[in-house]
Amino acid sequence: MSAIKKELTAKFAAAFKENNKQNALQRGVVKNGISASAENMSAHVNNVPVFSVDLATGKVANQMQSGRCWMFAALNTFRHKMLNAFNLKDFELSQNYTFFWDKYEKANYFYENILATATEELNSRKVAFLLQTPQQDGGQWDMIVSIFEKYGVVPKTAMPESSNSSNSRDLNNYLNKKLRKDAVTLRNLVAQGKDAAEIKSVKEKMLEEVYNFLAISLGNPPETFDFEYRDEEKNYHLDQNLTPQSFYEKYVGVNLNDYVSIINAPTADKPYNQSYTVEMLGNVVAGKEVKYLNVDMATFKKLAIAQLEQGESVWFGCDVGQSSTRDSGIMALDAYDVNDLFDIDFTMTKAQRLDYGESLMTHAMVLTGVDLVAGKSTKWKVENSWGEKVGTKGFFVMSDEWMDEYTYQIVVRKDLLSPEQLAAYEKAPTVLAPWDPMGALA
């Protein structure tokens, strides 16, 4: 290893002080920050929020200080259908309800994985991976499908937001403390050779404590409720004694088996037109397997456009923090010109960013429009879940080039796939390691 010599650093410092351009840049960046100094206004000019295909969606929702974007995005796709089918205005489904059951199921999923790895060394990579973050707010499309299929959905009026769903830091902190402590107990029971019945009994007591913790923190999920609303024409409606499952069937009515997850991961270890899953990725034991079909970006965008043109919004996952302006809602490769600001080339390929930990899926949103010029996509309309104070009343504009580089997943109907693509999806998937970037939770 080669240490830095003081003479070398002194040489760098002297050269910097003699460079008038760098001194001018220093004054601006020290005062205003890197992003503000590098922001490129041409990105705003090139990404005007006007689209040739633009679906009606109503107002955006707000996940507040929580990591429930994947959940909000999925519920928003349902909400879009309900707004049109039932002539609703400003309607939302309960994110707190699905949040409750996701936390409850994730606790059990963690316990089962701890038991499955109980004979491995504590410092094995899998055990360390489990204990690093026993559970979190994030998730994947197939994980929310598992919640919908088992627990249904309810309107927000039946289980409104709580302090801890809107700001989940404390809840996650204490729930993870409990799960790690329970992991000690479960691993010790296995080491002591206790039988399956005793371990199951102990785990059920742990789950009861988790349920009580969640009920105190989030409220009790309703078993039955009434759905009362006025439509856009001010007509009054009352539907009584619904269950979450009957409400889903009657008002949402989406066959979740009709949808598949499509990814674009151009890395050498993931050939296109093959299906993939990720070990230890899920929330509901015996629920829907997290599964993807990897395709090239041209196919990826073609499928998204086809669903939008048929009037249906598209759940998608991306790395939202890359080259995007939060306040104005521009997602474009030229949103910031950091290369020129520092005279450093930060450019990497999409595959390199995935392989070297520079990028992965961090956020899920909904595609609600696309601008097509001569049949080619130029920019995309994005419904975010950060409230109306960002972007254009909560909607972002994503350039087509940004989608190429930082979008990783979409969810589309099976009938949009070719027979060959569907056959590839339905084959037994290649199992990726738990820490693979395609296992990232939005």
Side-chain angles (χ1 to χ4, degrees), residues 147-191:
I147 296 296
F148 294 151
E149 289 181 338
K150 188 168 183 177
Y151 296 102
V153 296
V154 304
K156 195 169 185 176
T157 51
M159 190 171 180
E161 282 290 277
S162 67
S163 174
N164 293 299
S165 61
S166 295
N167 188 339
S168 60
R169 179 178 295 179
D170 275 356
L171 184 146
N172 284 320
N173 180 32
Y174 288 106
L175 182 53
N176 283 335
K177 283 179 185 289
K178 172 175 171 48
L179 295 181
R180 291 190 182 101
K181 180 182 177 181
D182 290 345
V184 176
T185 301
L186 292 173
R187 283 177 61 89
N188 285 341
L189 289 173
V190 173

Side-chain angles (χ1 to χ4, degrees), residues 105-310:
E105 289 286 349
K106 279 178 177 170
N108 185 57
Y109 197 84
F110 173 77
Y111 292 147
E112 289 298 320
N113 276 311
I114 286 295
L115 290 170
T117 58
T119 58
E120 296 190 23
E121 294 294 328
L122 191 59
N123 63 356
S124 78
R125 190 169 184 184
K126 285 185 181 180
V127 176
F129 174 82
L130 290 169
L131 295 176
Q132 182 179 13
T133 310
Q135 63 78 44
Q136 58 174 291
D137 287 357
Q140 276 278 348
W141 169 262
D142 288 325
M143 292 165 63
I144 197 64
V145 168
S146 293
I147 296 296
F148 294 151
E149 289 181 338
K150 188 168 183 177
Y151 296 102
V153 296
V154 304
K156 195 169 185 176
T157 51
M159 190 171 180
E161 282 290 277
S162 67
S163 174
N164 293 299
S165 61
S166 295
N167 188 339
S168 60
R169 179 178 295 179
D170 275 356
L171 184 146
N172 284 320
N173 180 32
Y174 288 106
L175 182 53
N176 283 335
K177 283 179 185 289
K178 172 175 171 48
L179 295 181
R180 291 190 182 101
K181 180 182 177 181
D182 290 345
V184 176
T185 301
L186 292 173
R187 283 177 61 89
N188 285 341
L189 289 173
V190 173
Q192 294 163 12
K194 301 298 184 182
D195 62 29
E198 181 174 350
I199 293 174
K200 180 181 178 183
S201 177
V202 172
K203 193 196 83 167
E204 287 180 353
K205 175 62 177 174
M206 293 173 175
L207 280 173
E208 182 181 13
E209 291 173 344
V210 169
Y211 183 94
N212 292 342
F213 172 84
L214 293 172
I216 290 169
S217 302
L218 301 174
N220 291 316
E223 297 179 10
T224 61
F225 58 93
D226 297 338
F227 183 37
E228 188 176 20
Y229 68 96
R230 285 189 183 275
D231 62 26
E232 286 271 36
E233 276 73 45
K234 307 301 181 183
N235 298 312
Y236 174 76
H237 302 265
L238 174 63
D239 200 347
Q240 295 179 299
N241 202 34
L242 293 163
T243 67
Q245 290 81 3
S246 67
F247 178 84
Y248 181 89
E249 292 172 5
K250 182 173 182 178
Y251 289 96
V252 180
V254 175
N255 183 352
L256 296 166
N257 291 320
D258 288 343
Y259 292 81
V260 296
S261 285
I262 305 297
I263 59 170
N264 174 249
T267 51
D269 64 328
K270 300 180 185 69
Y272 290 143
N273 302 313
Q274 293 187 22
S275 63
Y276 299 89
T277 189
V278 181
E279 185 181 1
M280 299 197 304
L281 178 61
N283 54 352
V284 177
V285 174
K288 185 175 175 60
E289 178 185 42
V290 174
K291 190 176 181 182
Y292 319 112
L293 175 66
N294 193 22
V295 302
D296 62 80
M297 183 49 71
T299 301
F300 187 95
K301 291 192 286 191
K302 181 180 178 181
L303 291 168
I305 291 169
Q307 187 154 301
L308 288 168
E309 287 184 322
Q310 293 183 15

Side-chain angles (χ1 to χ4, degrees), residues 57-60 79 83 88-92 232 388:
T57 57
K59 292 184 178 180
V60 302
R79 177 169 60 92
L83 290 173
L88 299 171
K89 182 181 180 181
D90 300 337
F91 171 79
E92 288 186 46
E232 286 271 36
E388 292 188 285

Side-chain angles (χ1 to χ4, degrees), residues 356-418:
Y356 285 82
E358 170 55 25
S359 183
L360 42 65
M361 191 169 74
T362 61
H363 190 52
M365 297 179 283
V366 184
L367 296 173
T368 62
V370 61
D371 202 25
L372 299 174
V373 177
K376 183 183 182 302
S377 54
T378 60
K379 60 181 183 287
W380 304 74
K381 185 177 182 181
V382 174
E383 180 184 22
N384 206 340
S385 53
W386 292 346
E388 292 188 285
K389 293 183 178 180
V390 296
T392 304
K393 295 184 178 180
F395 291 89
F396 281 34
V397 180
M398 175 172 63
S399 77
D400 198 61
E401 294 78 12
W402 195 98
M403 171 175 261
D404 291 342
E405 296 297 327
Y406 295 115
T407 299
Y408 296 109
Q409 182 178 359
I410 55 174
V411 174
V412 296
R413 295 196 319 275
K414 282 182 181 179
D415 61 17
L416 297 174
L417 273 62
S418 69

